Amino acid sequence: MTEHQQDHAGSLKSYEEARDWINGLIPYGIRPGLERIERLLEALEHPERRLKFIHVAGTNGKGSVCAYLQSVLQACGYDVGMFTSPYITKFTNRFQYNGDDIPEETLLELTNTLKPHVEAIAATELGSPTMFEVSTALAILYFGKVAYPDYVVWETGLGGRLDVTNVVNPVVSVITNVGHDHMDVLGDTIEKIAYEKAGIIKPGVPVITAVSQPEALAVIRETAAARKSSLYVLGEQFHETMLTVNEQEQAFRFEGPFRSVEPLVITLAGAHQRTNAAAAVMTLEVLRQYYALIVDDEDLQRGLQQAKWPGRLELVKQDPRILLDGAHNPEGMATLAAALKGTYTYGKLHLMIGMLENKNHRDTLRHILPIVDTLIVTEPDFRRRLAAGQLHELASSMPECKASITVESDWRKALELLEQRTAPGDLAVVSGTLYLIADVRSRLLYNKDSEKGW
């Protein structure tokens, strides 16, 4: 940074100041549309144009697919940038280069570069760029002007079509699945949500999907055909077959249009993770075929096996056994319930849950309540939290609920209670919003507070 920039009256002096300034934009909300981010990138001379993006959208599984892609590409010797949200422990987690967070001093420097441009746009009819828009621009600046990765694994924030991340032109697009989430923004039917996700499909850019509902798939097919994009659908052009499964790992066979590979082993639990891994492998296969990506089988195997994604069926404690899973929509919770029934053995199942107010709670709880022995309802430390009392009222009124319910709005006390009641041989699960998962994870693994956020 030049002396001139440092002396600039409006410049930020520390990482904390930079982070707080970006988070200070949260009140501007999530405003769909690309005008502000386009204006920002124009002012920065389009650093995104020199990067190869792998764009990943979907209701659930986006983060896991990103983790598989990042891990395998790195195992193959490529430099990889990754932009994901929300973050689990620290704001810098969102911007990764070869698995490491952006250095705090780099984030400070780039934020100071962005700030005058953000303020200039704020003074126009477009209004201030949002927190997510500024974070996205920051990621593009970091990858395009500082780190120069070979590939950027690029996760959408919300939806696809009008999502800020859609400002880039990727080399390949991935749509993991379509479910009932963010319906207040994306629409109230599977078709409408699929239409938003399909918005990331670019003319001539191949697209991989594991979407299974016929009505959602029809929308994606139509969009891909209109944009002349080759479409690879799980169950049609590529397949995965389970070979073995236990609590520690699972193995599967991948069959694609170009070749088959087995065994591929992953340590992330649940049948849905085989689906996510297969989508990632198909994406890499397309890159091999179209972009001469070099992927040796042993690097593919090592990369998949080493992939980790916090807060998704993550066993964070052995005594008592505590699993964390950020299932916060109906499909996510159905997936969690299936994994608990299919992968784990336990005496009693104890669930602690906290939610945000805007979610589809009845449909979400319906999937998990039938298998729960005791339930603790709590609240995340977050501005849009759902009151524990309301969650209790809802759960206790549902015919699926056989569990005894405890209300404890302080999540720290709720966690102590959960640990006390989980006997040897039982299983404790903490689920719901990732804001709660982030705090519980920090408490159990590092015993300190996290700076979580969207």
Side-chain angles (χ1 to χ4, degrees):
M1 195 189 310
T2 63
E3 264 178 314
H4 168 70
Q5 276 175 297
Q6 273 171 329
D7 294 342
H8 186 269
S11 77
L12 304 154
K13 306 288 186 290
S14 66
Y15 158 70
E16 288 74 18
E17 271 188 36
R19 180 199 65 206
D20 293 347
W21 177 72
I22 295 170
N23 283 332
L25 300 168
I26 285 176
Y28 292 107
I30 299 165
R31 287 146 64 204
L34 301 175
E35 308 83 4
R36 288 174 301 277
I37 186 77
E38 280 166 353
R39 184 89 51 105
L40 256 182
L41 293 177
E42 204 172 305
L44 299 166
E45 300 174 343
H46 292 290
E48 78 283 5
R49 288 181 183 165
R50 56 180 82 137
L51 295 165
K52 289 196 192 87
F53 292 92
I54 300 171
H55 202 179
V56 183
T59 302
N60 297 310
K62 294 191 293 290
S64 301
V65 169
C66 288
Y68 289 126
L69 289 167
Q70 193 257 357
S71 187
V72 174
L73 286 166
Q74 229 184 300
C76 295
Y78 290 96
D79 290 325
V80 193
M82 183 161 75
F83 177 62
T84 54
S85 57
Y87 54 93
I88 291 279
T89 43
K90 198 172 175 198
F91 184 69
T92 52
N93 297 162
R94 315 171 76 118
F95 319 91
Q96 295 203 341
Y97 178 68
N98 288 342
D100 294 325
D101 286 12
I102 184 174
E104 290 185 359
E105 59 277 16
T106 308
L107 186 136
L108 171 63
E109 199 170 314
L110 296 176
T111 306
N112 275 324
T113 302
L114 277 173
K115 191 166 178 272
H117 298 300
V118 171
E119 286 163 353
I121 292 168
T124 70
E125 74 294 346
L126 290 174
S128 175
T130 64
M131 184 279 290
F132 193 66
E133 287 165 350
V134 173
S135 300
T136 304
L138 188 68
I140 287 172
L141 255 190
Y142 178 46
F143 299 136
K145 291 200 170 173
V146 179
Y148 301 114
D150 299 308
Y151 286 93
V152 179
V153 178
W154 192 242
E155 185 191 357
T156 53
L158 185 68
R161 184 174 66 94
L162 298 174
D163 186 71
V164 188
T165 61
N166 207 24
V167 76
V168 308
N169 209 33
V171 290
V172 61
S173 306
V174 187
I175 300 170
T176 56
N177 51 43
V178 173
H180 298 82
D181 205 352
H182 301 293
M183 295 190 296
D184 46 341
V185 183
L186 301 179
D188 54 5
T189 66
I190 284 291
E191 287 92 339
K192 284 181 189 165
I193 298 171
Y195 170 73
E196 294 300 327
K197 309 279 184 206
I200 72 164
I201 300 173
K202 300 288 195 310
V205 175
V207 57
I208 288 91
T209 188
V211 166
S212 55
Q213 307 94 319
E215 64 275 35
L217 203 45
V219 174
I220 289 167
R221 261 190 230 291
E222 207 175 296
T223 311
R227 296 185 190 160
K228 300 192 168 35
S229 297
S230 310
L231 177 64
Y232 299 88
V233 180
L234 178 65
E236 292 178 19
Q237 289 76 19
F238 68 106
H239 304 263
E240 67 84 12
T241 315
M242 185 191 87
L243 300 174
T244 58
V245 61
N246 61 43
E247 285 190 21
Q248 279 70 46
E249 59 177 43
Q250 48 185 337
F252 67 97
R253 168 182 166 82
F254 172 85
E255 290 171 67
F258 314 124
R259 62 174 183 156
S260 299
V261 195
E262 71 174 309
L264 293 172
V265 176
I266 52 174
T267 59
L268 294 175
H272 60 294
Q273 287 297 0
R274 295 196 305 274
T275 301
N276 291 333
V281 174
M282 188 65 242
T283 305
L284 294 159
E285 286 290 286
V286 163
L287 291 173
R288 275 179 77 236
Q289 206 63 17
Y290 292 81
Y291 293 96
L293 182 83
I294 296 165
V295 185
D296 291 337
D297 283 5
E298 53 270 33
D299 293 331
L300 175 64
Q301 284 163 319
R302 190 162 47 95
L304 287 176
Q305 195 157 4
Q306 287 173 347
K308 290 180 176 49
W309 196 237
R312 311 321 193 272
L313 276 171
E314 183 184 17
L315 192 66
V316 287
K317 195 167 176 177
Q318 279 290 1
D319 184 22
R321 272 195 311 165
I322 301 181
L323 265 181
L324 302 184
D325 191 81
H328 55 264
N329 52 43
E331 289 74 13
M333 202 58 92
T335 296
L336 169 60
L340 290 171
K341 287 187 275 198
T343 305
Y344 297 90
T345 48
Y346 45 85
K348 286 189 167 174
L349 184 65
H350 309 282
L351 176 69
M352 167 177 157
I353 192 166
M355 302 289 254
L356 297 187
E357 55 192 13
N358 64 341
K359 299 291 176 182
N360 192 340
H361 301 112
R362 184 177 291 276
D363 271 352
T364 302
L365 289 171
R366 191 167 53 81
H367 295 291
I368 193 86
L369 287 178
I371 61 170
V372 174
D373 294 292
T374 72
L375 177 66
I376 303 173
V377 292
T378 190
E379 296 172 13
D381 280 336
F382 193 67
R383 59 186 184 282
R384 296 201 313 273
R385 62 179 170 263
L386 179 72
Q390 279 178 271
L391 197 52
H392 170 245
E393 220 170 282
L394 173 63
S396 56
S397 72
M398 291 175 64
E400 293 90 345
C401 187
K402 311 282 183 281
S404 63
I405 307 179
T406 309
V407 181
E408 175 47 80
S409 55
D410 180 337
W411 68 265
R412 292 167 190 82
K413 289 182 185 158
L415 182 59
E416 278 170 29
L417 193 60
L418 183 74
E419 293 190 72
Q420 285 159 14
R421 73 167 54 156
T422 307
D426 287 358
L427 182 63
V429 177
V430 182
S431 189
T433 172
L434 283 167
Y435 296 105
L436 175 66
I437 300 299
D439 278 339
V440 169
R441 189 173 186 275
S442 270
R443 171 59 58 104
L444 291 173
L445 292 180
Y446 316 110
N447 212 14
K448 63 178 171 65
D449 293 326
S450 66
E451 48 163 273
K452 62 189 179 305
W454 199 81

